[in-house]
Each structure stands twice: as structure tokens, then as C-alpha cells.
Amino acid sequence: MGEQYDSDLHLHSQYSGGTSPRMVIREIARGAAKKGLDLVGTGDILHPKWRRHVRRELVEDEYGLLKEPKTGVLFVPTVEVEDERRVHHLIILPSLDHAEELHGELSRYSDDIDAEGRPHLRMTGAELADLLKDHDCLFGPAHAFVPWTSVFKEYDSLRECYGSAMDRVDFVELGLSADSDYADRISELHEYTFLTCSDAHSPYPHRLGREFVRFELEEPSYDVLKAAIRRKPGGRVVLNVGLIPELGKYNRTACARCKRQFELEEAERLNWRCPECGGTIKKGVRDRVLELADLEKPKHPNHRPPYLRIIPLAEIIAKALGLSTITAKKVRAVWNSLVRRFGSEIDVLIETPIEEIAEVDERVAELLKSFREGTVNIRPGGGGEYGKIITEEESEREEPRSRKPVQRTLDELIGRG
């Protein structure tokens, strides 16, 4: 048996559009340590300035991964790229030298590879997959179901996207608005490892690691990580951890401007134009999965690990305290008290007994208990707006609403105890 590593393999640097200027290695490592992450992706590793920054800030550890010296957080080179059909793909690389080589090859197909952390490529997904055959990397579609820039926004199957290079696809990243139950209603996906990642644009714990993968690795090396994702001896995925899909900002079909939500048939009848504000209605992940599903219920293959649904701790604290913002001083104070006492946000969310959390704050403990038992109500997200936890009183007044499905405890999910 190897050691377990909580890992977030998809995030971005300050060189990607819409990201925080604090997305530098030191801040990412600090945020990862507070969250409880052991391994994170560098993001944006094809960008020359970011690659130089990574070389300065990280050192190679004894197993060949990169390490931030002060925190001990491990990094692996990663990048998200956009193809000519606006489909996003995630690439995981063994080293900075490999990233340098790949930059040289892909620069022939990109006008912004030296300016944008998430470069645009004049290639199809199939052409990209074919080019990567000669590189020792891991590759798969990023946030596969989102309605703007994903494989299932543009295609009805992976094969339509990757064609004869299908054997080059190592994983499917689910995205924040989907989970294993959603994806495993599509039998084509049963053969793939699912990755759950944050796609973080800031280093704060409510963004970084909001979705992560728990790997069991014989050693923390790229080769063993690759073995785990490809389901070969040496490593394995033991847990996917992510948001309740309804909390994702693209879960329901909704107007991208005013966020009004629609049933799929209504959106089609309106020709995808909002009658309230004239904005574009975007098809939600839930409805897209229903279109693609060839199974009435999810059928999980034997290799599929459990999926544990979580939510950022700051959101739980803010709701428990009756505050409207997760950055309020009172929220930070309770968050700091819990993390200092119990080790990390992940520890608080899924490992620490509720009675011990109650010693710090009974209100937070009560809400977290409801969350773990599956008795919280959710106002689903859509149109680019995240879903929200709502009280029983709010749920009676507001539509649409969704009750989080009951999930087993972590011990029950992984057969511990």
C-alpha cells in the first residue's frame, strides 16, 4: 500500500485571462497547504514567463516532481489549451524540459502561446491528440460538460472529437457541474479515469482544491502518477472529491445575462433567447447529460472510485453565521480557528468528528453535519452563477430547488472501519 496524496491537477497562473495576480507559486503553495493538498498542477506551463518563474521557485525532489521548499507542496507541470473548435484539453507533463519541447512544437500552431497561459491552437482535438503521441504526457478533455468550451458542448461523443487518436485520451475531467453519477450514465465514458479538479483562478482555499483527487501512490513520482491515472500497477485513484453538481455555475439551463433558469423544452421553444433581458440561454450540464445518456441510471465500472461531495468550508461558515460574504472577518476568524486546530480545510470537511467541530462553533458543526448527512437544500446554479446552500425557509419560498442526495460517510465510501 502506498501513501495517499490529495491532488488538484488543473489550475491557472497569473498569465491566464481572468485570474488573480496572486496566482504565483508561493501563494499557490500556501493556499494548497492550508487546503490540505499534497500535489497540485503548475498550470500554464507552456507560457515562457511562467515557466521561468516555476524554475526559480521550485526544486526537483528525489522522485523527480517539483517541490516548493517552504511548504513541501509538490507540483507537476500542467497546461490547459484551447483547440480551433474552442474545446479545452488538459495536459500533464513529466518535467519542465518536456514542457519546453512541447512549447516548441505547439508554437507553430498558436499566435498567443507566449502571451496567454491558456493558449489557442489552430488544431482539432484529434490533431492535438495525435501530436501528443510522441510525448510522455497525460491528456484528456477539460471540464467535459460545461456549455462554453468543452468536448460535449461541441460534440456528442469523445470519438467525434478525437477520432482515430482516441487511444491517446487518458482521462476525462468532470468539471464543477458534474459528478460520477452524471458521467457514468454515458457508457462511452466507463473506460476512462475521472479527474476532479478545481480549475482555480485564485489561491484561496474556497477556490483551490474545491475539487480534488485522492491518489494512492507507491512513490510520489510522475511515472507512478501516470500509472494511477492509466490504472496500471503502482498507483490508483481511491476517491474523487467535488462539489454537489447543483452548486456548479453551469448545472442548469439558464440565461447567461440575467441568470433566469429554464426547462430545456422552454429554452428550445424560445430559440435560446431570454424573454426577460434578451440574453443568450446556455444549456445546463444536467440537460446536456440527459441528452447524451444511454443509461437510465449511472452504472459505475469496477475501477470507478467513490465520489465524495463537498463544499468550500468558508461557504459553510458564512451560511451558518448568517453572513452574505465568505470573505467577512468573522468567516475568516472561524475558518482560521478550525484549520489551526484540525490541520487543514480538507480535514475539517471530511475527517474531523462533528462533536469536535462543535467545540469551536456549534452553528458550523450543525450545518456541516446536515451537509454530511445529505439534508441541506441547494438553489442550483446556472448561466455562470454558482448554486447556493439555502435554509429550509428559503427553500419553501424559492424555486428551483434541489435537495442534496444523501451520501454515505467517508468511512463507508472507502470501506474503512
Side-chain angles (χ1 to χ4, degrees):
M1 298 288 286
E3 296 291 326
Q4 292 188 345
Y5 296 83
D6 289 338
S7 309
D8 183 357
L9 300 178
H10 182 180
L11 50 91
H12 291 281
S13 75
Q14 61 181 331
Y15 293 106
S16 281
T19 55
S20 166
R22 295 190 63 186
M23 286 301 276
V24 296
I25 289 296
R26 188 172 300 178
E27 294 296 324
I28 293 170
R30 287 174 179 169
K34 291 178 180 178
K35 187 75 178 191
L37 295 169
D38 308 293
L39 171 65
V40 295
T42 62
D44 300 355
I45 204 58
L46 296 182
H47 193 287
K49 290 183 179 179
W50 181 244
R51 199 161 56 250
R52 288 195 291 271
H53 172 77
V54 169
R55 285 190 187 277
R56 287 195 305 269
E57 297 292 320
L58 301 178
V59 298
E60 188 173 303
D61 80 342
E62 59 183 310
Y63 296 105
L65 290 179
L66 304 170
K67 182 168 68 174
E68 201 282 320
K70 291 187 177 179
T71 60
V73 172
L74 297 172
F75 285 76
V76 62
T78 61
V79 66
E80 180 185 18
V81 299
E82 180 177 288
D83 71 22
E84 65 183 21
R85 300 286 291 271
R86 295 199 68 205
V87 175
H88 286 197
H89 313 268
L90 179 63
I91 306 171
I92 306 169
L93 293 146
S95 71
L96 295 176
D97 289 342
H98 282 79
E100 196 105 29
E101 293 174 11
L102 185 59
H103 170 272
E105 289 199 45
L106 291 181
S107 61
R108 295 179 293 160
Y109 304 95
S110 177
D111 297 325
D112 64 357
I113 198 167
D114 292 338
E116 168 60 42
R118 186 196 301 104
H120 305 80
L121 305 177
R122 297 186 301 276
M123 307 177 76
T124 65
E127 289 168 340
L128 176 61
D130 191 59
L131 180 147
L132 292 175
K133 284 183 178 179
D134 297 328
H135 293 267
D136 183 24
C137 62
L138 294 156
F139 169 75
H143 41 68
F145 297 96
V146 298
W148 295 98
T149 53
S150 74
V151 64
F152 290 125
K153 176 265 178 186
E154 192 65 24
Y155 302 97
D156 289 336
S157 71
L158 293 186
R159 184 164 294 281
E160 283 186 30
C161 178
Y162 298 112
S164 61
M166 275 279 288
D167 62 342
R168 188 64 197 86
V169 177
D170 297 299
F171 58 80
V172 173
E173 185 194 34
L174 296 179
L176 304 184
S177 293
D179 63 8
S180 296
D181 282 349
Y182 276 47
D184 273 337
R185 288 191 61 186
I186 303 169
S187 57
E188 180 194 38
L189 302 185
H190 289 177
E191 65 181 281
Y192 295 98
T193 296
F194 290 162
L195 294 187
T196 36
C197 310
S198 71
D199 195 3
H201 287 52
S202 76
Y204 304 109
H206 64 277
R207 292 289 182 251
L208 190 62
R210 56 189 165 177
E211 298 207 345
F212 65 90
V213 182
R214 179 166 290 177
F215 291 102
E216 186 175 271
L217 307 175
E218 289 184 357
E219 64 178 32
S221 68
Y222 177 79
D223 285 341
V224 176
L225 177 66
K226 181 172 64 175
I229 291 175
R230 292 182 175 173
R231 303 195 303 279
K232 303 295 184 181
R236 65 189 182 107
V237 177
V238 298
L239 194 66
N240 285 113
V241 184
L243 295 182
I244 304 167
E246 287 81 1
L247 289 172
K249 60 183 180 180
Y250 299 115
N251 183 261
R252 297 297 170 87
T253 296
C255 175
R257 184 184 296 171
C258 73
K259 314 308 178 187
R260 175 181 167 183
Q261 296 184 5
F262 300 86
E263 295 299 322
L264 182 60
E265 296 78 8
E266 183 183 10
E268 291 172 340
R269 188 176 68 251
L270 293 168
N271 200 26
W272 302 97
R273 186 63 60 185
C274 178
E276 296 293 325
C277 71
T280 300
I281 301 172
K282 299 301 293 185
K283 187 181 296 179
V285 169
R286 183 190 64 163
D287 287 331
R288 183 58 174 147
V289 168
L290 290 175
E291 287 182 331
L292 297 172
D294 58 341
L295 300 170
E296 289 189 12
K297 295 181 180 180
K299 182 179 180 181
H300 302 302
N302 291 335
H303 68 81
R304 185 76 68 226
Y307 190 105
L308 182 68
R309 299 170 184 88
I310 62 167
I311 188 173
L313 179 59
E315 294 187 28
I316 292 175
I317 296 171
K319 194 66 183 180
L321 302 185
L323 299 172
S324 60
T325 174
I326 61 175
T327 58
K329 288 184 179 180
K330 289 183 179 179
V331 174
R332 292 201 303 270
V334 174
W335 189 95
N336 286 329
S337 295
L338 289 167
V339 170
R340 277 197 301 266
R341 180 164 177 175
F342 301 116
S344 73
E345 176 165 321
I346 291 172
D347 288 330
V348 174
L349 287 172
I350 66 179
E351 301 283 3
T352 305
I354 291 296
E355 56 269 21
E356 294 184 25
I357 294 172
E359 293 174 5
V360 177
D361 193 290
E362 291 185 356
R363 296 164 296 178
V364 173
E366 183 178 354
L367 183 56
L368 184 54
K369 181 175 183 289
S370 297
F371 184 85
R372 289 183 182 179
E373 293 176 348
T375 58
V376 294
N377 293 299
I378 303 295
R379 183 194 307 153
E385 183 176 67
Y386 288 106
K388 293 180 173 62
I389 302 171
I390 56 176
T391 65
E392 202 67 44
E393 293 76 17
E394 290 171 328
S395 73
E396 292 173 359
R397 295 194 306 266
E398 300 184 18
E399 294 291 345
R401 61 175 176 167
S402 171
R403 182 173 291 276
K404 174 190 170 291
V406 174
Q407 69 177 358
R408 292 173 292 167
T409 66
L410 179 60
D411 285 346
E412 292 170 333
L413 279 168
I414 63 178
R416 186 173 64 191

PDB file of all heavy atoms in Angstrom, residues 33 36 38 73 97 110 126 134 164 241 248-250 265 278-280 296 309 331 360 393:
ATOM      1  N   ALA A  33      -1.375  24.215   0.989  1.00  0.00           N
ATOM      2  CA  ALA A  33      -1.067  23.674   2.317  1.00  0.00           C
ATOM      3  C   ALA A  33      -2.228  23.896   3.281  1.00  0.00           C
ATOM      4  O   ALA A  33      -2.583  23.007   4.066  1.00  0.00           O
ATOM      5  CB  ALA A  33       0.215  24.310   2.848  1.00  0.00           C
ATOM      6  N   GLY A  36      -4.964  21.511   2.425  1.00  0.00           N
ATOM      7  CA  GLY A  36      -4.662  20.123   2.724  1.00  0.00           C
ATOM      8  C   GLY A  36      -4.250  19.340   1.499  1.00  0.00           C
ATOM      9  O   GLY A  36      -4.250  18.107   1.502  1.00  0.00           O
ATOM     10  N   ASP A  38      -1.632  17.882  -1.245  1.00  0.00           N
ATOM     11  CA  ASP A  38      -0.243  17.424  -1.275  1.00  0.00           C
ATOM     12  C   ASP A  38       0.417  17.662  -2.626  1.00  0.00           C
ATOM     13  O   ASP A  38       1.635  17.846  -2.710  1.00  0.00           O
ATOM     14  CB  ASP A  38      -0.180  15.922  -0.975  1.00  0.00           C
ATOM     15  CG  ASP A  38      -0.923  15.571   0.305  1.00  0.00           C
ATOM     16  OD1 ASP A  38      -0.452  16.008   1.372  1.00  0.00           O
ATOM     17  OD2 ASP A  38      -1.945  14.878   0.234  1.00  0.00           O
ATOM     18  N   VAL A  73       4.805  21.397  -0.579  1.00  0.00           N
ATOM     19  CA  VAL A  73       3.788  21.030  -1.555  1.00  0.00           C
ATOM     20  C   VAL A  73       4.457  20.634  -2.868  1.00  0.00           C
ATOM     21  O   VAL A  73       5.372  21.309  -3.341  1.00  0.00           O
ATOM     22  CB  VAL A  73       2.797  22.193  -1.789  1.00  0.00           C
ATOM     23  CG1 VAL A  73       1.845  21.888  -2.945  1.00  0.00           C
ATOM     24  CG2 VAL A  73       2.013  22.474  -0.518  1.00  0.00           C
ATOM     25  N   ASP A  97      11.496  20.370 -18.822  1.00  0.00           N
ATOM     26  CA  ASP A  97      12.163  20.178 -20.112  1.00  0.00           C
ATOM     27  C   ASP A  97      11.174  19.658 -21.151  1.00  0.00           C
ATOM     28  O   ASP A  97      11.206  20.077 -22.320  1.00  0.00           O
ATOM     29  CB  ASP A  97      13.336  19.217 -19.972  1.00  0.00           C
ATOM     30  CG  ASP A  97      14.510  19.823 -19.214  1.00  0.00           C
ATOM     31  OD1 ASP A  97      14.561  21.066 -19.100  1.00  0.00           O
ATOM     32  OD2 ASP A  97      15.356  19.061 -18.711  1.00  0.00           O
ATOM     33  N   SER A 110       0.060  28.263 -32.859  1.00  0.00           N
ATOM     34  CA  SER A 110      -0.549  29.228 -31.945  1.00  0.00           C
ATOM     35  C   SER A 110       0.042  30.616 -32.133  1.00  0.00           C
ATOM     36  O   SER A 110       1.255  30.774 -32.279  1.00  0.00           O
ATOM     37  CB  SER A 110      -0.340  28.784 -30.492  1.00  0.00           C
ATOM     38  OG  SER A 110      -0.857  29.730 -29.583  1.00  0.00           O
ATOM     39  N   ALA A 126      -8.435  16.007 -32.412  1.00  0.00           N
ATOM     40  CA  ALA A 126      -7.799  14.802 -32.955  1.00  0.00           C
ATOM     41  C   ALA A 126      -6.354  15.078 -33.350  1.00  0.00           C
ATOM     42  O   ALA A 126      -5.453  14.256 -33.105  1.00  0.00           O
ATOM     43  CB  ALA A 126      -8.589  14.297 -34.158  1.00  0.00           C
ATOM     44  N   ASP A 134       3.770  11.351 -29.352  1.00  0.00           N
ATOM     45  CA  ASP A 134       5.232  11.290 -29.263  1.00  0.00           C
ATOM     46  C   ASP A 134       5.765  11.914 -27.979  1.00  0.00           C
ATOM     47  O   ASP A 134       6.974  12.085 -27.830  1.00  0.00           O
ATOM     48  CB  ASP A 134       5.864  11.975 -30.478  1.00  0.00           C
ATOM     49  CG  ASP A 134       5.522  11.276 -31.786  1.00  0.00           C
ATOM     50  OD1 ASP A 134       5.362  10.044 -31.766  1.00  0.00           O
ATOM     51  OD2 ASP A 134       5.398  11.970 -32.815  1.00  0.00           O
ATOM     52  N   SER A 164      -9.400   8.761 -34.605  1.00  0.00           N
ATOM     53  CA  SER A 164      -8.504   7.601 -34.525  1.00  0.00           C
ATOM     54  C   SER A 164      -7.470   7.737 -33.416  1.00  0.00           C
ATOM     55  O   SER A 164      -6.770   6.768 -33.107  1.00  0.00           O
ATOM     56  CB  SER A 164      -7.792   7.404 -35.865  1.00  0.00           C
ATOM     57  OG  SER A 164      -7.013   8.543 -36.195  1.00  0.00           O
ATOM     58  N   VAL A 241     -13.349  13.734  -5.288  1.00  0.00           N
ATOM     59  CA  VAL A 241     -13.997  14.643  -4.344  1.00  0.00           C
ATOM     60  C   VAL A 241     -14.371  15.915  -5.085  1.00  0.00           C
ATOM     61  O   VAL A 241     -13.541  16.495  -5.796  1.00  0.00           O
ATOM     62  CB  VAL A 241     -13.055  14.983  -3.170  1.00  0.00           C
ATOM     63  CG1 VAL A 241     -13.777  15.860  -2.149  1.00  0.00           C
ATOM     64  CG2 VAL A 241     -12.532  13.715  -2.503  1.00  0.00           C
ATOM     65  N   GLY A 248     -22.483  23.907  -9.045  1.00  0.00           N
ATOM     66  CA  GLY A 248     -21.707  24.412 -10.166  1.00  0.00           C
ATOM     67  C   GLY A 248     -22.452  25.515 -10.897  1.00  0.00           C
ATOM     68  O   GLY A 248     -23.695  25.545 -10.932  1.00  0.00           O
ATOM     69  N   LYS A 249     -21.719  26.398 -11.535  1.00  0.00           N
ATOM     70  CA  LYS A 249     -22.365  27.571 -12.132  1.00  0.00           C
ATOM     71  C   LYS A 249     -22.972  27.309 -13.511  1.00  0.00           C
ATOM     72  O   LYS A 249     -23.559  28.219 -14.106  1.00  0.00           O
ATOM     73  CB  LYS A 249     -21.400  28.751 -12.193  1.00  0.00           C
ATOM     74  CG  LYS A 249     -20.139  28.552 -13.006  1.00  0.00           C
ATOM     75  CD  LYS A 249     -19.258  29.794 -12.893  1.00  0.00           C
ATOM     76  CE  LYS A 249     -17.962  29.650 -13.685  1.00  0.00           C
ATOM     77  NZ  LYS A 249     -17.133  30.863 -13.564  1.00  0.00           N
ATOM     78  N   TYR A 250     -22.833  26.091 -14.017  1.00  0.00           N
ATOM     79  CA  TYR A 250     -23.457  25.759 -15.297  1.00  0.00           C
ATOM     80  C   TYR A 250     -24.369  24.536 -15.182  1.00  0.00           C
ATOM     81  O   TYR A 250     -24.663  23.883 -16.178  1.00  0.00           O
ATOM     82  CB  TYR A 250     -22.378  25.490 -16.355  1.00  0.00           C
ATOM     83  CG  TYR A 250     -21.492  26.668 -16.616  1.00  0.00           C
ATOM     84  CD1 TYR A 250     -20.133  26.632 -16.305  1.00  0.00           C
ATOM     85  CD2 TYR A 250     -22.000  27.846 -17.161  1.00  0.00           C
ATOM     86  CE1 TYR A 250     -19.308  27.717 -16.535  1.00  0.00           C
ATOM     87  CE2 TYR A 250     -21.191  28.943 -17.392  1.00  0.00           C
ATOM     88  CZ  TYR A 250     -19.844  28.872 -17.076  1.00  0.00           C
ATOM     89  OH  TYR A 250     -19.041  29.955 -17.302  1.00  0.00           O
ATOM     90  N   GLU A 265     -37.109  22.240 -22.733  1.00  0.00           N
ATOM     91  CA  GLU A 265     -38.115  22.415 -23.779  1.00  0.00           C
ATOM     92  C   GLU A 265     -38.485  23.889 -23.949  1.00  0.00           C
ATOM     93  O   GLU A 265     -38.694  24.362 -25.074  1.00  0.00           O
ATOM     94  CB  GLU A 265     -39.373  21.605 -23.431  1.00  0.00           C
ATOM     95  CG  GLU A 265     -39.170  20.097 -23.388  1.00  0.00           C
ATOM     96  CD  GLU A 265     -38.494  19.624 -22.107  1.00  0.00           C
ATOM     97  OE1 GLU A 265     -38.310  20.453 -21.163  1.00  0.00           O
ATOM     98  OE2 GLU A 265     -38.127  18.444 -22.044  1.00  0.00           O
ATOM     99  N   GLY A 278     -33.233  39.409 -23.137  1.00  0.00           N
ATOM    100  CA  GLY A 278     -32.671  39.253 -24.474  1.00  0.00           C
ATOM    101  C   GLY A 278     -31.340  38.536 -24.511  1.00  0.00           C
ATOM    102  O   GLY A 278     -30.727  38.400 -25.575  1.00  0.00           O
ATOM    103  N   GLY A 279     -30.872  38.080 -23.342  1.00  0.00           N
ATOM    104  CA  GLY A 279     -29.589  37.396 -23.285  1.00  0.00           C
ATOM    105  C   GLY A 279     -29.652  35.998 -23.867  1.00  0.00           C
ATOM    106  O   GLY A 279     -30.731  35.451 -24.141  1.00  0.00           O
ATOM    107  N   THR A 280     -28.463  35.385 -24.038  1.00  0.00           N
ATOM    108  CA  THR A 280     -28.366  34.028 -24.569  1.00  0.00           C
ATOM    109  C   THR A 280     -28.622  33.012 -23.474  1.00  0.00           C
ATOM    110  O   THR A 280     -28.050  33.099 -22.387  1.00  0.00           O
ATOM    111  CB  THR A 280     -26.959  33.792 -25.164  1.00  0.00           C
ATOM    112  OG1 THR A 280     -26.735  34.732 -26.213  1.00  0.00           O
ATOM    113  CG2 THR A 280     -26.833  32.379 -25.717  1.00  0.00           C
ATOM    114  N   GLU A 296     -30.393   4.696 -18.134  1.00  0.00           N
ATOM    115  CA  GLU A 296     -31.375   5.378 -17.286  1.00  0.00           C
ATOM    116  C   GLU A 296     -30.790   5.766 -15.945  1.00  0.00           C
ATOM    117  O   GLU A 296     -31.137   6.796 -15.366  1.00  0.00           O
ATOM    118  CB  GLU A 296     -32.601   4.486 -17.069  1.00  0.00           C
ATOM    119  CG  GLU A 296     -33.471   4.322 -18.302  1.00  0.00           C
ATOM    120  CD  GLU A 296     -34.771   3.619 -17.980  1.00  0.00           C
ATOM    121  OE1 GLU A 296     -35.087   3.464 -16.778  1.00  0.00           O
ATOM    122  OE2 GLU A 296     -35.470   3.233 -18.930  1.00  0.00           O
ATOM    123  N   ARG A 309     -19.006  14.237  -2.105  1.00  0.00           N
ATOM    124  CA  ARG A 309     -19.432  15.613  -2.400  1.00  0.00           C
ATOM    125  C   ARG A 309     -19.091  16.527  -1.223  1.00  0.00           C
ATOM    126  O   ARG A 309     -19.437  16.233  -0.088  1.00  0.00           O
ATOM    127  CB  ARG A 309     -20.926  15.641  -2.693  1.00  0.00           C
ATOM    128  CG  ARG A 309     -21.311  14.801  -3.910  1.00  0.00           C
ATOM    129  CD  ARG A 309     -22.819  14.643  -4.034  1.00  0.00           C
ATOM    130  NE  ARG A 309     -23.158  13.763  -5.151  1.00  0.00           N
ATOM    131  CZ  ARG A 309     -23.256  12.443  -5.059  1.00  0.00           C
ATOM    132  NH1 ARG A 309     -23.042  11.845  -3.886  1.00  0.00           N
ATOM    133  NH2 ARG A 309     -23.559  11.716  -6.108  1.00  0.00           N
ATOM    134  N   VAL A 331     -16.024  35.208   9.209  1.00  0.00           N
ATOM    135  CA  VAL A 331     -15.834  33.942   8.499  1.00  0.00           C
ATOM    136  C   VAL A 331     -14.372  33.534   8.565  1.00  0.00           C
ATOM    137  O   VAL A 331     -14.043  32.376   8.865  1.00  0.00           O
ATOM    138  CB  VAL A 331     -16.304  34.054   7.035  1.00  0.00           C
ATOM    139  CG1 VAL A 331     -15.957  32.778   6.264  1.00  0.00           C
ATOM    140  CG2 VAL A 331     -17.807  34.315   6.972  1.00  0.00           C
ATOM    141  N   VAL A 360     -15.591  24.363  18.605  1.00  0.00           N
ATOM    142  CA  VAL A 360     -15.157  25.650  18.050  1.00  0.00           C
ATOM    143  C   VAL A 360     -16.357  26.528  17.727  1.00  0.00           C
ATOM    144  O   VAL A 360     -16.400  27.707  18.079  1.00  0.00           O
ATOM    145  CB  VAL A 360     -14.300  25.427  16.786  1.00  0.00           C
ATOM    146  CG1 VAL A 360     -13.905  26.775  16.162  1.00  0.00           C
ATOM    147  CG2 VAL A 360     -13.060  24.614  17.122  1.00  0.00           C
ATOM    148  N   GLU A 393     -36.454  27.641   5.252  1.00  0.00           N
ATOM    149  CA  GLU A 393     -37.413  28.712   4.983  1.00  0.00           C
ATOM    150  C   GLU A 393     -37.238  29.256   3.579  1.00  0.00           C
ATOM    151  O   GLU A 393     -38.212  29.497   2.851  1.00  0.00           O
ATOM    152  CB  GLU A 393     -37.245  29.842   6.003  1.00  0.00           C
ATOM    153  CG  GLU A 393     -37.610  29.475   7.432  1.00  0.00           C
ATOM    154  CD  GLU A 393     -36.548  28.611   8.115  1.00  0.00           C
ATOM    155  OE1 GLU A 393     -35.403  28.566   7.598  1.00  0.00           O
ATOM    156  OE2 GLU A 393     -36.869  27.978   9.132  1.00  0.00           O
TER     157      GLU A 393
END
